[in-house]
Amino acid sequence: MTLLFVSTHEDPAAWTAELRARLTEVPLRVWPELPDPDAVEYALVWAPPPGLLATLPNLKVVFSVGAGVDALLADPDLPRVPLVRMVEPGLTEGMTDYVCQQVLAWHRRGPLFARQQREAVWRPVLHQKLARERKVGILGMGALGADAARTLAALRFDVAGWSRTPKSLPGVQSFHGPEGLAPFLARTEILVCLLPLTPETDGILDRRLFAALPRGAVVINAARGRHLVEQDLLAALDSGQLAGATLDVFREEPLPHTHPFWSHPKIVVTPHIAAITQPRTAVAQVVEGIRRHRAGQPLEHLVDRDRGY
């Protein structure tokens, strides 16, 4: 029984140190070191090479390093074994920190004053809404969205959430399903996208959605680059339908240096750093998952492959 760690992006040192300290009874291998594929029963992965997991004949569970599993599900040879998405305190807190930072920045006109500083312009804005007067909407009310919504509500923002199915969260107005999207958008001044990427949500941030927001709204995308139709965003910004956007994820990463997002005056770009899985807090979920599986108990945070999350 072996755990295989596979990542084409992560430095394995921090992961292996935590795993070896907390999972002493399970041998650990780090890809591409794989002397005995037959021994591997568990895999902890991020962006593994397509087809790699299919070469492990005794694989029993796949644990994702990240909250999103769209890249894994795109592998046509992905074994039909339980797939567990990452839900861990460090990842959730990091996303909430990022969302609050960006919402507060747009709420208090941070990008405007940063531009005025670069231009050495002293131009106070004397009218400023209070947080309780600012309507924030969270697209996607899973673990990440729910935590961000709770924290923004605690900061006194007027928060609503939209999800595929009904959700109930104290202090947060809830909308759900196709019929709930239009009224949700109509009341949202700052829109935060934290949706999983599925065939239904691919390209959801498009001209029709932007037109359904109040004029002068702001969009924050910290989910997946493919949620956004890039040309529709540029058109909405240039027309004034949107006042600004913060983008942490992109269809092509790294973002090409010639991409118009870099120089657009109404766009804030961050390099896919909104929420980073922390080995020191995430390994506990993997250890618990292996323990539950070995004990014949139900696994937590299982991915529904039909839904894509």
Side-chain angles (χ1 to χ4, degrees):
M1 179 183 62
T2 295
L3 169 65
L4 177 66
F5 179 81
V6 184
S7 176
T8 54
H9 295 73
E10 299 276 335
D11 179 356
W15 286 96
T16 55
E18 293 288 344
L19 287 165
R20 287 187 170 121
R22 302 194 198 189
L23 205 62
T24 56
E25 72 278 15
V26 178
L28 174 66
R29 293 287 181 266
V30 178
W31 181 82
E33 175 200 354
L34 191 56
D36 184 7
D38 290 356
V40 176
E41 296 187 7
Y42 304 103
L44 174 61
V45 304
W46 182 248
L52 173 66
L53 297 177
T55 67
L56 309 173
N58 296 313
L59 186 64
K60 291 183 169 57
V61 183
V62 176
F63 298 92
S64 173
V65 167
V69 294
D70 44 285
L72 278 170
L73 293 175
D75 182 355
D77 298 318
L78 182 68
R80 298 295 300 188
V81 300
L83 174 59
V84 178
R85 60 191 173 88
M86 184 61 71
V87 178
E88 63 94 7
L91 183 68
T92 301
E93 291 172 25
M95 181 61 80
T96 294
D97 288 351
Y98 181 88
V99 169
C100 290
Q101 175 195 25
Q102 300 303 326
V103 168
L104 283 164
W106 285 107
H107 169 61
R108 292 305 304 255
R109 297 185 174 90
L112 169 65
F113 294 126
R115 186 165 61 251
Q116 288 184 188
Q117 180 180 352
R118 290 193 298 271
E119 298 169 357
V121 172
W122 183 278
R123 187 180 298 131
V125 177
L126 301 180
H127 174 70
Q128 171 64 52
K129 283 188 174 185
L130 299 173
R132 59 183 169 81
E133 299 169 316
R134 181 74 69 192
K135 297 181 183 297
V136 181
I138 309 291
L139 261 180
M141 290 293 287
L144 299 180
D147 194 73
R150 279 191 292 264
T151 305
L152 288 166
L155 291 171
R156 295 191 286 272
F157 284 100
D158 184 350
V159 183
W162 180 89
S163 52
R164 188 184 62 84
T165 57
K167 299 288 177 69
S168 179
L169 208 63
V172 177
Q173 187 178 5
S174 294
F175 297 83
H176 71 275
E179 69 283 357
L181 185 57
F184 165 78
L185 295 172
R187 52 83 63 204
T188 295
E189 298 172 272
I190 300 178
L191 178 70
V192 181
C193 181
L194 294 176
L195 288 166
L197 182 64
T198 69
E200 291 72 30
T201 64
D202 196 328
I204 191 172
L205 301 176
D206 64 2
R207 58 182 178 80
R208 291 171 297 178
L209 183 143
F210 300 147
L213 293 166
R215 186 170 179 82
V218 168
V219 171
I220 299 168
N221 186 20
R224 285 290 184 264
R226 282 172 50 193
H227 284 124
L228 176 65
V229 179
E230 295 183 349
Q231 290 304 315
D232 288 1
L233 175 67
L234 292 169
L237 291 168
D238 293 344
S239 72
Q241 174 60 22
L242 295 181
T246 293
L247 307 175
D248 185 59
V249 288
F250 306 90
R251 288 180 176 265
E252 182 180 354
E253 296 183 4
L255 188 66
H257 72 277
T258 57
H259 199 288
F261 285 171
W262 284 116
S263 57
H264 199 289
K266 296 181 181 179
I267 294 178
V268 174
V269 169
T270 57
H272 203 150
I273 47 75
I276 299 170
T277 307
Q278 306 291 337
R280 64 186 182 276
T281 53
V283 162
Q285 179 186 313
V286 180
V287 172
E288 174 63 10
I290 292 174
R291 185 199 67 77
R292 293 179 71 89
H293 183 263
R294 294 176 69 187
Q297 298 174 339
L299 290 167
E300 299 177 315
H301 314 305
L302 274 176
V303 171
D304 183 327
R305 295 188 184 218
D306 294 330
R307 293 181 181 175
Y309 58 93

